[in-house]
Amino acid sequence: KSLVKLIEAGGIACVKGIGGFHLMADAGNDGAVRLLRERKNRPKKPFAVMFKDIRQVSEYAFIDDVSSAMLESKERPICLVRDRGNLAYGVNCGLKDIGAFLPYAPLHYIIFALSGRPLVATSANVNGEPIVKDNAEAMDKLKGIADGFLIHDRDILRRCDDSVAGTASGQHFFLRRSRGYVH
């Protein structure tokens, strides 16, 4: 509950996942997204947004059947979908698309059970470095970015980014194959 309170108050959380850590912030809070951009030194590159479920994605983006199927697939890639303009400007800095994805780890479902807000969920790393994978490394390297940490004792053996896909003419294509598609 304290992690959710931190996010709802405009803070930045560092959450340990399956292939690395995510930095999470309220995707509807302009101040929180601006703060994350500043601390991560990421002035323009769009952030991915994790949504509670497909219904919530459709409230914030226009989705077609292909995107919906990809979002709900077992691989759970980030899908580029047309933005409806209801999130903080800094999520995509005015671009027409947002990178949407759905929870894929049990911890994500617990977070969304406590707060249904869409969350920026971006790789937890210092700009230009690999994704952080160890607890001590996260606490050391990300202490100036995150306001709080949610970690566990399950080791991450291999760093793994989220896969990113888009759709065109009713077909999907990949911008990055990673978690869910490569071993």
Side-chain angles (χ1 to χ4, degrees), residues 71-133:
L71 284 164
E72 292 186 305
S73 70
K74 68 182 184 330
E75 294 84 6
R76 300 290 172 134
I78 295 169
C79 290
L80 298 181
V81 291
R82 184 80 51 200
D83 185 10
R84 288 186 186 266
N86 300 327
L87 295 170
Y89 174 83
V91 166
N92 63 358
C93 298
L95 296 175
K96 62 184 178 180
D97 293 331
I98 55 173
F101 68 127
L102 296 176
Y104 58 85
L107 191 53
H108 300 152
Y109 289 98
I110 293 169
I111 292 168
F112 280 109
L114 297 170
S115 174
R117 299 173 191 222
L119 300 172
V120 166
T122 189
S123 298
N125 62 331
V126 176
N127 204 3
E129 292 188 16
I131 297 171
V132 171
K133 73 177 189 76

Side-chain angles (χ1 to χ4, degrees), residues 28-91:
N29 182 324
D30 287 310
V33 175
R34 198 168 34 255
L35 183 63
L36 179 56
R37 285 199 172 284
E38 181 182 302
R39 288 184 183 173
K40 195 168 178 194
N41 191 24
R42 187 169 164 177
K44 295 284 181 189
K45 186 178 175 186
F47 286 130
V49 179
M50 186 180 290
F51 293 91
K52 180 179 182 173
D53 53 32
I54 198 71
R55 181 196 56 75
Q56 188 178 59
V57 175
S58 69
E59 293 173 16
Y60 292 89
F62 299 98
I63 56 173
D64 59 19
D65 291 342
V66 175
S67 297
S68 181
M70 294 232 14
L71 284 164
E72 292 186 305
S73 70
K74 68 182 184 330
E75 294 84 6
R76 300 290 172 134
I78 295 169
C79 290
L80 298 181
V81 291
R82 184 80 51 200
D83 185 10
R84 288 186 186 266
N86 300 327
L87 295 170
Y89 174 83
V91 166

